[in-house]
Amino acid sequence: MKKSSTLSRFMLALAVAWPAGSLAQTVNLAQAEQMSLSADPRVKEREQLVESARALLEQAQAKDGWRVNANLFVGLAPQVNGGFYQGGAPSGTTPRRDGPFPGGLSDWTSLQVALIKPLFTFGKIQHYSEAAQGNIDVRRGDVRISRADTVLDVKRAYYGYLTARDLRRFLEDVQSRLDSAVTRVSHNLKEDNGQSRQSDLYALQAARGMLGKYLSQAKAIEKISLDGLKVLTGVGMDADLQVADASLAPVALPRDSLAELQSRALLDRPEMAQLEAGMRARRALVAAKKSEQYPDVYAGIVGTANYASRRDRLNNPYIYDPFNNAGLTPVVGVKWDMEFGVVPAKVAQEQAELEALNYKNQYAQAGIPFQVSAAYQQVQANYDAQRDLAAGAAAARRWMISALADFSAGLGHADKVAEALKSYALTQAEYLKTVNDYNMDVAQMYRAVGELK
């Protein structure tokens, strides 16, 4: 019992001390997609642009709140001692002295404050807020597009890795068989037993050279695809990442009809939602620019205060001294801020942008169903192609095995073996490539529909 407890503590300490990066992480396609959606900085960038657009909406809505305009400065004013002349006699104890600078200069502190609340803006705030909300919806569409691109990139890397790995394993098997045949022919030529010809060796060596090229390319693509998957999932290129699938297999053929897919695309594609939001925003901007022709009705409080320390205050309601006074009053007013030649031009600009979006919407209504149709036809074509190639690859394998058996029995020549091996290698490689293309075509089709599948 004591030994078991000691061993358990040792294993726990080893698990804690063992670096996490040294353990292999195995993921399937769905897990890789979720990891990438959480880690992809492109998606996070688009999400931050949504937050930026939301801040613009808050800014537009805040225009309906209280505004403060304040100006405080310190300057110079003429110094004045004494009061005002009344009836030919000075008031106060010291007569006022006139001149360029009576009594010299004084510091002057001035403060003007206006606290304003808009009452009615003829729709400016409402229309600009609607435009800002439309901008948010457009940015949200960008996030959906970025997420769809990320999923597509993950599938491309995942299927690409499976294709290259299966091709590499297959080519290594064929190469092993080919090397055995080369060894047998070389032995027969060395023994000069008449079972092989020199041309047989050349044929096998030529096939091995071509096979080596494809094998090197498969290894490179396997490494590149796995590194790409590591980057997309955010685990880092130094991590030990493995995929759960034992081999590449074609995904199920979608059962949706073309008409159903096209109908869903016109409803679900983020580009369609973006167009609708963009048109809504543009219509609001046109209305907002038109409302710029009208004033803003407001209420508030306006005050001013001026103080000059070396300037006597005039206690006379009929005389205003701009350097030494104070006042505060509630106000109701109307304010125009319009450039007569500019506003119509801005309205025309926004109207033109709206019309451009209308034409873009018309193109999308025709173009998106075409995209779905093209992707759908490609799916159907590669689905049939991979089935035919699967049958062809199976037949080529039987041909290769038969040719190798005949050669081993001394009933065939090596050039027939080389031809059979080459045919099998090319057919199987084309099959794997077509399965990869078919799987990606399915992904592209759902991408065209606007669905993450």
Side-chain angles (χ1 to χ4, degrees):
M1 187 73 175
K2 187 174 181 181
K3 274 187 175 182
S4 175
S5 177
T6 302
L7 181 60
S8 299
R9 287 198 299 270
F10 173 75
M11 294 301 294
L12 179 60
L14 182 62
V16 172
W18 195 263
S22 62
L23 299 177
Q25 184 176 6
T26 302
V27 296
N28 57 28
L29 179 57
Q31 292 170 333
E33 290 175 355
Q34 290 303 317
M35 292 170 64
S36 299
L37 289 174
S38 300
D40 197 334
R42 296 173 298 180
V43 176
K44 296 182 182 297
E45 176 191 4
R46 297 294 177 86
E47 289 174 345
Q48 290 304 309
L49 292 178
V50 173
E51 295 303 316
S52 175
R54 187 173 287 111
L56 289 177
L57 173 61
E58 294 173 357
Q59 179 180 338
Q61 293 174 337
K63 294 290 186 180
D64 195 34
W66 286 94
R67 310 175 190 176
V68 176
N69 295 324
N71 183 28
L72 173 66
F73 65 86
V74 176
L76 296 175
Q79 176 183 349
V80 174
N81 292 321
F84 184 71
Y85 288 98
Q86 297 179 348
S91 64
T93 58
T94 306
R96 176 169 176 162
R97 291 177 293 176
D98 297 321
F101 291 103
L105 295 175
S106 172
D107 59 280
W108 171 34
T109 302
S110 178
L111 172 65
Q112 294 99 35
V113 178
L115 183 61
I116 301 298
K117 174 70 168 65
L119 298 178
F120 187 69
T121 62
F122 291 90
K124 296 184 187 71
I125 296 175
Q126 174 189 352
H127 296 319
Y128 279 119
S129 297
E130 290 175 359
Q133 182 61 57
N135 185 41
I136 292 176
D137 295 337
V138 171
R139 297 297 185 183
R140 285 174 176 164
D142 288 338
V143 173
R144 289 184 57 194
I145 291 173
S146 185
R147 289 172 61 88
D149 291 341
T150 297
V151 169
L152 203 62
D153 289 342
V154 171
K155 289 181 177 178
R156 186 176 291 110
Y158 194 91
Y159 291 139
Y161 171 74
L162 291 178
T163 301
R165 188 188 64 179
D166 288 2
L167 182 59
R168 188 257 303 165
R169 291 173 176 175
F170 157 73
L171 291 175
E172 286 176 345
D173 177 65
V174 175
Q175 188 181 55
S176 176
R177 296 173 185 271
L178 189 57
D179 288 342
S180 297
V182 169
T183 301
R184 186 177 301 110
V185 169
S186 298
H187 176 74
N188 291 339
L189 291 175
K190 185 177 180 180
E191 295 294 329
D192 196 16
N193 53 21
Q195 294 183 5
S196 299
R197 301 170 300 179
Q198 188 66 39
S199 60
D200 293 337
L201 181 61
Y202 294 152
L204 292 174
Q205 288 174 337
R208 186 169 61 179
M210 185 63 68
L211 193 66
K213 171 195 172 183
Y214 293 136
L215 182 57
S216 298
Q217 291 178 340
K219 289 179 179 179
I221 295 174
E222 181 183 7
K223 179 67 168 60
I224 293 171
S225 299
L226 185 59
D227 286 346
L229 191 61
K230 291 178 181 179
V231 171
L232 288 168
T233 54
V235 300
M237 292 184 61
D238 296 332
D240 188 3
L241 184 68
Q242 298 179 6
V243 299
D245 294 78
S247 61
L248 177 70
V251 299
L253 179 68
R255 297 301 179 184
D256 306 285
S257 69
L258 177 58
E260 290 173 342
L261 293 171
Q262 290 173 328
S263 177
R264 295 210 310 258
L266 291 174
L267 295 175
D268 298 337
R269 275 281 288 268
E271 291 88 344
M272 295 302 298
Q274 283 183 308
L275 277 172
E276 191 277 331
M279 293 174 64
R280 190 172 70 249
R282 286 296 172 185
R283 284 192 290 266
L285 282 175
V286 170
K289 295 304 179 182
K290 289 180 179 179
S291 66
E292 295 286 352
Q293 305 173 80
Y294 303 103
D296 293 340
V297 180
Y298 67 91
I301 299 174
V302 176
T304 181
N306 293 277
Y307 173 71
S309 65
R310 302 182 64 188
R311 189 178 179 92
D312 289 349
R313 177 180 295 274
L314 292 175
N315 296 318
N316 190 322
Y318 299 101
I319 303 300
Y320 170 72
D321 184 356
F323 301 108
N324 222 341
N325 66 83
L328 184 70
T329 179
V331 298
V332 176
V334 179
K335 181 177 181 293
W336 277 270
D337 188 10
M338 184 183 71
E339 299 172 286
F340 290 95
V342 174
V343 171
K346 289 182 177 180
V347 172
Q349 177 187 4
E350 297 300 335
Q351 187 66 46
E353 296 284 352
L354 176 60
E355 293 301 324
L357 279 179
N358 282 327
Y359 287 118
K360 193 171 185 177
N361 183 50
Q362 292 178 19
Y363 178 78
Q365 292 287 341
I368 286 180
F370 170 76
Q371 289 180 355
V372 175
S373 176
Y376 181 85
Q377 300 303 330
Q378 197 65 36
V379 166
Q380 299 296 324
N382 273 330
Y383 176 76
D384 295 336
Q386 60 89 21
R387 286 198 306 174
D388 293 338
L389 283 169
R397 177 179 174 81
R398 290 191 291 269
W399 177 20
M400 178 196 68
I401 294 174
S402 177
L404 285 171
D406 291 343
F407 179 71
S408 298
L411 301 176
H413 295 292
D415 56 347
K416 299 297 183 182
V417 174
E419 185 179 356
L421 285 170
K422 181 180 178 181
S423 177
Y424 177 44
L426 292 177
T427 307
Q428 181 67 18
E430 192 63 30
Y431 165 73
L432 291 173
K433 178 181 179 299
T434 304
V435 171
N436 176 71
D437 291 343
Y438 163 72
N439 288 350
M440 287 306 302
D441 287 337
V442 173
Q444 290 278 10
M445 184 186 72
Y446 282 118
R447 168 71 175 81
V449 173
E451 299 175 357
L452 291 179
K453 286 189 178 181

